């Protein structure tokens, strides 16, 4: 397929490499000359114009950092929405508010899929990224043709925005688990048990978790927060905003996010 990619950063770059390897005709939008040169050498077409990236593309993938950036590239002057074809599909990997992607869909041709993900660069390169999709059934089926270059499993959730809802709940739960593990680490340390010992034993016991496994590999909950904290704070802010806007009580999840050793407050 003719695919354009906007947002070739830490995750978007390997996604783009996988799309090229899968045989898609890829156009990469990048503002920096060195990034364009890299992808030109990899066999992609390159441009520093969003309008050019959108024109003639069957699918446009977006993997920018925030809702604000997504709105800028989609709705700004010379942006994607004004330049995609009538049947072209916009696939967003950005974690943000369901209301944002619904607003972008309403402003354009309506062929939009929210496709947030869970995983990292290694998963992209191995083709094992977990991706959730929300949107029209036909649009989601089309999106699978390109997202499948780097994702497995792919979950179809429901209407546009529902995949983002699942991703936001997942991230709230992940952050709450970090708070619990960080608290457990503090207690164990106060009782004279080192973090690495605690993590090793717990991971072979009934209290095991994905987060404790990360702490076992990284050495401490603080190391995990230092690495992922800025992403978590951004996503948790969105969780709170969406929940507040819909009148949803986060309950004990909210209590965990707002209190505990790991500081997830906006900075």
């Amino acid at each position: 397929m003719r695919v354009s990619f906007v947002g070739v950063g830490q995750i978007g770059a390997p996604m783009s490499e996988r799309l090229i390897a899968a045989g898609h005709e890829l156009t990469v939008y990048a503002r920096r000359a060195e990034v364009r040169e890299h992808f030109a050498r990899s066999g992609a077409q390159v441009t520093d114009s969003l309008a050019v990236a959108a024109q003639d593309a069957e699918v446009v993938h977006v993997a920018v950092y925030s809702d604000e950036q997504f709105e800028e590239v989609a709705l700004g002057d010379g942006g994607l929405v004004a330049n995609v074809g009538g049947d072209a599909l916009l696939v967003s990997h950005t974690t943000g508010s369901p209301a944002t992607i619904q607003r972008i869909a309403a402003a354009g041709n309506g062929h939009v899929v929210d496709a947030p993900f869970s995983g990292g660069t290694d998963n992209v390169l191995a083709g094992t990224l977990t991706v959730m999709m929300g949107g029209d059934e036909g649009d989601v089926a089309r999106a699978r043709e390109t997202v499948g270059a780097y994702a497995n499993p792919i979950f179809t959730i429901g209407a546009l925005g529902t995949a983002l809802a699942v991703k936001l709940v997942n991230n709230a739960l992940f952050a709450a688990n970090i708070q619990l593990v960080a608290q457990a680490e503090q207690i164990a340390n106060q009782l004279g048990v080192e973090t690495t010992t605690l993590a090793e034993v717990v991971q072979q016991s009934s209290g095991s978790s994905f987060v404790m496994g990360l702490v076992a590999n990284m050495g401490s909950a603080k190391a995990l927060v230092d690495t992922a904290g800025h992403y978590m704070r951004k996503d948790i802010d969105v969780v709170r905003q969406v929940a507040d806007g819909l009148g949803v009580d986060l309950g004990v999840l909210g209590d965990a996010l707002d209190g505990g050793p790991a500081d997830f407050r906006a900075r």
Side-chain angles (χ1 to χ4, degrees):
M1 299 180 73
R2 297 188 307 278
V3 185
S4 288
F5 209 104
V6 177
V8 284
Q10 183 177 356
I11 292 293
M15 286 177 171
S16 297
E17 300 284 2
R18 292 280 302 192
L19 286 164
I20 295 169
H24 296 290
E25 298 176 29
L26 187 69
T27 297
V28 168
Y29 163 81
R31 289 177 293 184
R32 291 186 294 158
E34 61 270 24
V35 176
R36 295 195 299 273
E37 291 167 3
H38 166 78
F39 280 101
R41 290 193 297 269
S42 298
Q45 299 295 314
V46 296
T47 182
D48 61 356
S49 165
L50 288 168
V52 170
Q55 292 164 3
D56 297 326
E58 295 175 272
V59 184
V60 179
H61 287 235
V62 180
V64 293
Y65 177 72
S66 66
D67 259 358
E68 292 76 17
Q69 293 177 354
F70 183 29
E71 287 197 282
E72 180 183 351
V73 299
L75 300 178
D77 291 340
L80 300 174
V81 166
N83 289 284
V84 293
D87 293 324
L89 179 65
L90 182 64
V91 178
S92 172
H93 291 302
T94 299
T95 297
S97 169
T100 300
I101 198 163
Q102 290 162 356
R103 184 165 59 252
I104 289 170
N109 63 17
H111 295 299
V112 180
V113 169
D114 55 316
F117 60 87
S118 182
T121 301
D122 289 345
N123 299 107
V124 175
L125 293 172
T128 60
L129 192 70
T130 297
V131 173
M132 301 138 255
M133 287 192 184
D136 175 82
E137 183 178 337
D139 291 339
V140 168
R142 280 201 289 162
R144 282 177 172 268
E145 297 182 40
T146 51
V147 174
Y150 45 80
N152 186 25
I154 299 172
F155 294 99
T156 299
I157 306 300
L160 183 67
T162 58
L164 283 169
V166 171
K167 174 62 189 293
L168 293 172
V169 171
N170 173 79
N171 282 19
L173 187 58
F174 179 50
N177 284 335
I178 293 175
Q179 292 283 29
L180 291 174
V181 169
Q183 189 70 71
E185 176 187 42
Q186 278 193 0
I187 294 169
N189 292 167
Q190 290 168 4
L191 294 174
V193 178
E194 293 184 354
T195 299
T196 52
T197 300
L198 172 73
E200 180 182 6
V201 174
V202 167
Q203 280 306 90
Q204 298 300 318
S205 305
S206 57
S208 63
S209 69
F210 178 75
V211 172
M212 188 63 86
L214 294 175
V215 170
N217 290 330
M218 302 178 76
S220 70
K222 181 180 183 302
L224 173 57
V225 173
D226 287 346
T227 299
H230 61 294
Y231 294 107
M232 298 304 300
R233 291 183 190 98
K234 185 265 293 184
D235 291 352
I236 290 166
D237 283 347
V238 177
V239 171
R240 291 190 177 106
Q241 291 165 11
V242 171
D244 288 346
L246 296 175
V248 174
D249 182 6
L250 293 176
V252 294
L253 271 182
D255 295 340
L257 297 178
D258 293 332
D263 183 5
F264 291 124
R265 294 171 297 180
R267 293 180 178 175

